[in-house]
Every structure is written in C-alpha cells, then in structure tokens.
C-alpha cells in the first residue's frame, strides 16, 4: 500500500488545498447567513396599506418591553388607521415562520405585541417589523419567549438545511472562485521566483527578496478578493480586512523585537557599513566579519570563535572598522634615566623603529616626552603600520623590543623605580653593625630598589650590573639564532585566522548573505 501513497510534498500540497477549500466554504456559509440577516433587517419604512414610504426616519434601538418609532406623530388619531396597522402587521407575521403565534393590538398608534415566540431573536424580529410602519407611535413588547426545545431545534435544523442547500447550489460558483484564486496565487508565486528580474530592479539581494515576497503576498490577497467577490461575499472582505488590522496590531506588539531586528537587517543591507573579511569592533566586540544574515551579524573573533550579534544591536551600536582605513597607529612608553637627555633618547629610538620593515614612512613615526617621574623621564612613541599586511599586536611587540635594545646599546639606562630612605642615628648604628662596618660609613640618604614582601632587604647601588646585562644579551642571541626565531620576529597577519574565516564563509554558502560588494558603502 505504501507504494501507492503520494510523496510527502504532494501530500502537503493536497492538505494545504483541502484546508483552503474548507476556508472558502466557511466564508461562503458566512456570506449566505449575512445576506439572509441583512434582507430580514432592511429598515424600509412601510405604510399601513403596505406601500413603501421614502423617509429619512430610522427606528431607535430596541429596548426590552418597548420600542419607539421616531417618525412624527399625527395630532388627530384615527381608529380606522389603527385597524389598518393591526391588519398589516398581522398579515406580515402570518407570512413569517415563527411569528404566527404573535398577537397584535393597536390603540392610538401604540402597537402591543403578545403571544409566544420560540426565542429572543424571533421576538426582536417581530418588534422591528412592527416598528417600521410609519404610523406606529411605539411598540409595547409583551411577547413570551417559550424557549421550547423542539421549536428551536427544528428552526435551527431548517436553517442548517437551507444553508446546506444553498451551499450545494453554490458549489459550481465556489469551484470557479477557487480556481480563480489558485491561478492568481500561482502567478504571484511564479513571478516572485524570477530572481533575475528583481536583482535587475535592485542590486541589494535583501531588498530584491523582500520585494519578491511582497509581490507574492499581494497576488494572494488579490486572488482572495476576486474569489470572494465572485461568490458574492464582498461583506466578508471588509470583515477580514478589519480583523487582519486588529490581529496585525496585536502581532506587532508581540513581535516588536523581531520586527525591529528585521528592519535593522534591511537598513544594514542598504547602508553596508562593513563587508565580509573586514576587521571591526561592534559594541566592544572585536572580530572579522563573516556575513550579514536577516537576523544577525556573524563575526569570527580573534581567538577563533563564532560570534552572532543581533542586527538591531549592530544598527544602533558603535561600529569601528579597522579595514576601512588600513593605516593604524599604535603607541608605547619607555622611561630613561633622569640624567639622560630625552631628545637624544628619542632620536635613538626612532632610528631603530624606522629600520623595521612594517613601519610606514608616511605618516612618520614620532615620539614625545609625556612626563618626568621621580626617577625617570617617560617617552611615548607613536608608530603607523598598514594592518592589512601587518599584525597589529606583533608589530607593537617587536617595536618595543627593538627600541629598548637600541637605547640600552647606546648607554641609556631604563631605571627601576627607587625609593629614598632616611635613617635616624640609632638605625644607622644598627645597620653599620649588621654590615660589619662603622655607622659613620653610612650616608644619611640612601636609595634602595623596591622589594617584594618575601624578599630579604638588601642594600644595592642604583646601577645596572654590566655583567648581568651582558649575560642576558648573550643568552638572547643564542636563543634567537635558530630558524624558528623568524616566526617570533615576523609581523605578518595570522594566516590561520583568515583561513578559518574563509572556511566559515564557504560552509555558509546556502545562507543568504546580505553583504554585496557592488552596493555603495556609507
């Protein structure tokens, strides 16, 4: 048996068409009921002799027990006219199912209705009909609503039977309306799938997709309106539009964030503040742009993780694009001894910096004196690099190292922070005994390097040990002599990170990227 079953896609299509047929059938039933109620409630004033009268007077809202006609009341009553009114109302009631048991009496233009009706709807129908006669002053309601089960069930049954018969009669028209709706909806779907047409109209892929979907929805609504008009259910169109408006407002409040995010996606796709592979910082989140979807902006962080930022936050946030202008400046500080000439130290440092391959000649690297400390003069170096060809962090690290070595090789010292201590005579004597020397050999002022809490206090002169310095340099040369040292001193961008970005872009080829190189950038 399974071999004769239609495919899943065909079953879904049949189920969707069946639901649509059921919806149109329900709408047709509602239109038939609305037409019947409108015919029974047409408010055309009648005269006592049955002639329709053209008047602008309308009956007032019905009140239980009494209903008043707003037409002008004659000054001189006429018993003959009262009798005509009674006969006219009784004749009308005798022709309407469910109103035959209503008794009518008229005096001075006041109509009194008594007897029985099956339910409230029939009683209100009798009151409205009586009140439509122009010579009726008011209608006094004394009708007994029996609410009899048999009467109400039989009435409902007759109504359902009538509606069923009307539905059977309207089936050919319903099929034509259904066919018309299907043709119009199919044409809208076919037109929306012409991607080349929409891409020619607008270069932005997101706007093109949005335009195609809008055309599709418009044709569906147009087909529904044409189908309802064909089967005579125009009144339902207004009801559906009104209901759609109310539902739209409710849904708008419920999905406000989603709508805001969707609009932000549209604006970002039009403005194009960044492109794929751009190095950006969005709301303090740094990474490489992978793509822009209809919901989020996807970044590859510098540590290789995928980061998704909602487009609403991106559109309202602060965007720093490093790739937009590849020239970028970094700074660092070094301190020289207070006895050294800071301008000479600046020249030595800049000479060493300008020898680095990644340092740009324009704008030139500069250095300034920021402040003078207790034991040193602080210099700040400002260097420009092309970050499209240079790793920013590596370049800064190498520049600091080369500047430090250049200053030390030219005899400039990079002093450690020192503290000046003053001793009273008793402490001087104790220190002198501890060193095996006389207290008189100590000077009143001594400088000691800062010590850690766990270190022992020692008195050292405030000079750099030349022997330790030479050993450190020799050790560094030996370590950096191998071929692997080239990677440490290499300032090229990290190729592995860009490979991960390219792989992420390739793996997401099935997801629509709203970034377009052909679109103008803000």
């Amino acid at each position: 048996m399974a071999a004769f079953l239609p495919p899943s896609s065909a079953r879904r299509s049949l189920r969707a068409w069946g639901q649509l047929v059921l919806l149109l059938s329900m709408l047709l039933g509602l239109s038939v009921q609305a037409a019947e109620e409108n015919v029974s409630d047409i408010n055309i004033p009648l005269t006592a002799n049955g002639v329709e009268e053209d008047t602008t007077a309308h009956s007032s809202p019905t009140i239980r027990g009494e209903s008043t006609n707003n037409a002008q009341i004659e000054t001189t009553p006429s018993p003959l006219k009262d009798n005509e009114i009674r006969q006219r109302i009784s004749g009308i009631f005798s022709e309407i199912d469910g109103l035959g048991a209503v008794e009518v009496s008229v005096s001075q233009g006041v109509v009194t209705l008594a007897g029985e009706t099956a339910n409230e709807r029939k009683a209100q129908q009798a009151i409205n009909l009586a009140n439509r006669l122009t010579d009726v002053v008011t209608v006094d309601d004394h009708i007994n609503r029996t609410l009899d089960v048999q009467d109400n069930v039989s009435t409902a049954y007759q109504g359902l039977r009538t509606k069923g018969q009307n539905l059977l009669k309207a089936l050919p028209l319903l099929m034509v309306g259904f066919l018309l709706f299907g043709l119009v909806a199919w044409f809208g779907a076919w037109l929306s799938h012409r991607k080349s047409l929409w891409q020619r109209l607008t270069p932005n892929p997101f706007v093109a997709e949005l335009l195609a979907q809008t055309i599709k929805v418009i044709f569906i609504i147009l087909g529904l309106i044409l189908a309802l008009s064909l089967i005579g259910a125009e009144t339902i169109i207004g009801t559906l539009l009104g209901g759609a408006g109310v539902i739209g407002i409710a849904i708008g409040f419920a999905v406000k964030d989603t709508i805001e995010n969707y609009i932000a996606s549209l604006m970002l796709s039009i403005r194009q503040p960044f492109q794929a592979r751009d190095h950006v910082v969005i709301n303090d989140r740094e990474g490489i742009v992978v793509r822009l979807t209809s919901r989020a902006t996807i970044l590859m962080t510098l540590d290789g993780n995928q980061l998704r930022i909602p487009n609403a936050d991106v559109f309202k946030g602060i965007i720093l694009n490093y790739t937009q202008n590849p020239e970028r400046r970094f700074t660092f500080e070094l301190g020289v001894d207070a006895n050294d000439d800071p301008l000479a130290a600046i020249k030595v440092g800049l000479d060493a910096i300008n020898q680095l391959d990644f340092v740009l000649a324009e704008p030139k690297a500069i250095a300034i004196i920021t402040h003078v400390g207790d034991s040193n003069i602080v210099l700040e170096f400002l260097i420009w690099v092309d970050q499209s060809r240079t790793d920013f962090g590596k370049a800064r690290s190498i520049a600091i190292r080369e500047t430090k070595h250049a200053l030390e090789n030219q005899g400039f010292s990079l002093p450690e922070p020192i503290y000046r201590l003053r001793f009273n005579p008793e402490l001087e004597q104790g220190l002198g005994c501890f060193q095996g020397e006389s207290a008189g050999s100590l000077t009143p002022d001594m400088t000691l390097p800062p010590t850690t809490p766990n270190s022992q206090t020692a008195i050292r002169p405030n000079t750099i040990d030349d022997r330790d310095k030479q050993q450190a340099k020799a050790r560094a040369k030996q370590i950096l002599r191998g071929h692997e040292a080239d990677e440490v001193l290499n300032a090229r961008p990290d190729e592995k990170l860009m490979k991960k970005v390219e792989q992420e872009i390739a793996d997401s080829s099935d997801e629509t990227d709203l970034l377009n190189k052909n679109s103008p950038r803000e």
Side-chain angles (χ1 to χ4, degrees):
M1 295 294 292
F4 297 96
L5 291 176
S8 59
S9 59
R11 289 199 300 270
R12 288 195 297 268
S13 300
L14 291 175
R15 189 182 302 111
W17 287 113
Q19 292 175 353
L20 185 57
V21 171
L22 180 59
L23 175 61
L24 292 177
S25 301
M26 294 174 62
L27 294 177
L28 179 60
L30 292 175
S31 64
V32 172
Q33 180 181 359
E36 291 176 353
E37 292 179 355
N38 290 337
V39 169
S40 63
D41 294 336
I42 294 176
N43 194 13
I44 301 177
L46 301 176
T47 60
N49 56 9
V51 180
E52 296 180 0
E53 180 176 315
D54 186 11
T55 177
T56 58
H58 300 282
S59 60
S60 62
T62 303
I63 303 175
R64 180 65 183 272
E66 182 180 354
S67 180
T68 302
N69 195 324
N70 290 332
Q72 293 183 354
I73 302 175
E74 294 183 354
T75 306
T76 304
S78 173
L80 180 60
K81 187 169 293 188
D82 289 344
N83 187 40
E84 291 177 353
I85 293 174
R86 182 186 62 78
Q87 291 179 358
R88 176 60 172 156
I89 295 176
S90 298
I92 293 174
F93 287 176
S94 64
E95 297 297 329
I96 298 177
D97 186 24
L99 300 183
V102 178
E103 300 175 358
V104 182
S105 60
V106 183
S107 177
Q108 300 292 324
V110 178
V111 179
T112 302
L113 301 180
E116 297 179 349
T117 58
N119 48 47
E120 178 67 24
R121 188 173 67 86
K122 284 295 181 180
Q124 292 298 330
Q125 184 181 10
I127 295 172
N128 292 335
L129 288 173
N131 198 38
R132 284 168 55 189
L133 271 72
T134 56
D135 296 326
V136 173
V137 176
T138 185
V139 178
D140 195 5
D141 179 16
H142 293 285
I143 301 175
N144 180 27
R145 283 76 166 171
T146 62
L147 301 179
D148 184 69
V149 176
Q150 182 177 358
D151 294 340
N152 285 279
V153 171
S154 61
T155 304
Y157 171 74
Q158 291 296 333
L160 291 176
R161 182 179 178 182
T162 303
K163 291 178 181 178
Q165 293 175 351
N166 294 335
L167 181 60
L168 290 176
K169 294 178 182 179
L171 276 179
L173 189 61
L174 179 63
M175 295 302 297
V176 174
F178 175 72
L179 180 61
L180 179 61
F181 171 77
L183 289 175
V184 175
W186 173 83
F187 180 75
W190 176 84
L191 191 61
S192 66
H193 285 89
R194 307 277 71 80
K195 295 183 178 180
S196 58
L197 172 63
W198 308 117
Q199 289 177 357
R200 283 197 300 268
L201 293 177
T202 172
N204 190 293
F206 186 58
V207 177
E209 182 181 358
L210 179 62
L211 184 59
Q213 295 300 324
T214 303
I215 293 297
K216 182 178 180 180
V217 172
I218 289 176
F219 271 87
I220 291 176
I221 296 175
L222 179 61
L224 183 60
I225 292 175
L226 291 177
L228 292 175
S229 300
L230 183 63
I231 63 177
E234 293 88 349
T235 55
I236 299 179
I237 298 176
T239 304
L240 290 177
L241 293 177
V246 175
I247 295 174
I249 293 174
I251 294 177
F253 281 106
V255 295
K256 178 173 64 69
D257 294 338
T258 303
I259 295 175
E260 181 184 8
N261 200 49
Y262 192 81
I263 296 176
S265 304
L266 175 62
M267 297 302 298
L268 287 174
S269 66
I270 295 175
R271 299 174 62 180
Q272 300 278 331
F274 43 74
Q275 293 287 344
R277 304 173 185 85
D278 281 3
H279 184 186
V280 298
V281 179
I282 303 175
N283 294 334
D284 299 330
R285 302 286 187 174
E286 185 174 2
I288 309 297
V289 177
V290 176
R291 62 187 173 275
L292 172 67
T293 67
S294 59
R295 295 182 298 274
T297 298
I298 301 176
L299 305 181
M300 177 70 70
T301 60
L302 300 185
D303 52 2
N305 294 322
Q306 188 187 83
L307 176 64
R308 301 176 67 93
I309 306 176
N311 286 333
D313 296 339
V314 176
F315 183 71
K316 296 184 296 185
I318 299 174
I319 302 176
L320 175 60
N321 194 332
Y322 289 127
T323 308
Q324 189 77 9
N325 183 9
E327 294 179 352
R328 184 178 176 185
R329 190 185 72 178
F330 64 83
T331 64
F332 63 88
E333 293 182 349
L334 286 178
V336 296
D337 191 86
N339 296 322
D340 293 331
D341 187 346
L343 294 181
I346 288 176
K347 182 180 184 306
V348 171
L350 290 179
D351 290 341
I353 289 172
N354 290 326
Q355 294 178 2
L356 299 175
D357 295 335
F358 53 81
V359 176
L360 297 180
E362 288 294 334
K364 294 192 302 183
I366 62 173
I368 59 175
I369 302 172
T370 59
H371 61 276
V372 178
D374 295 335
S375 58
N376 61 357
I377 300 175
V378 180
L379 308 178
E380 183 179 10
F381 294 86
L382 302 92
I383 300 97
W384 290 86
V385 296
D386 184 354
Q387 59 182 350
S388 63
R389 298 178 300 171
T390 305
D391 186 277
F392 185 80
K394 292 181 181 179
R396 185 175 184 273
S397 175
I398 295 173
I400 293 175
R401 173 186 180 273
E402 295 301 324
T403 305
K404 174 180 178 296
H405 287 345
L407 291 174
E408 290 176 344
N409 292 337
Q410 293 296 328
F412 292 92
S413 61
L414 307 179
E416 300 177 355
I418 61 174
Y419 301 103
R420 187 175 299 276
L421 305 178
R422 294 182 180 274
F423 302 101
N424 56 32
E426 291 79 5
L427 183 58
E428 291 179 7
Q429 184 177 2
L431 290 174
C433 295
F434 178 74
Q435 296 289 338
E437 300 175 357
S438 62
S441 62
L442 296 176
T443 60
D445 294 337
M446 295 187 65
T447 58
L448 297 176
T451 58
T452 60
N454 296 328
S455 63
Q456 296 181 354
T457 303
I459 301 175
R460 296 179 57 192
N462 191 23
T463 59
I464 299 176
D465 192 339
D466 294 336
R467 182 174 57 83
D468 293 342
K469 182 178 179 181
Q470 294 299 327
Q471 290 179 355
K473 287 185 177 182
R475 183 170 58 251
K477 289 181 180 180
Q478 183 178 3
I479 294 174
L480 297 176
R481 188 176 302 167
H483 297 288
E484 297 180 355
D486 295 338
E487 294 296 329
V488 179
L489 301 176
N490 184 10
R492 292 194 304 269
D494 189 357
E495 297 180 356
K496 185 176 181 180
L497 179 62
M498 293 307 300
K499 288 181 179 179
K500 288 179 66 67
V501 172
E502 295 294 341
Q503 182 180 1
E504 185 72 18
I505 294 175
D507 293 343
S508 315
S509 58
D510 56 338
E511 189 173 4
T512 302
D513 189 0
L514 305 184
L515 297 175
N516 188 359
K517 294 182 178 180
N518 298 327
S519 298
R521 302 181 64 174
E522 63 175 7

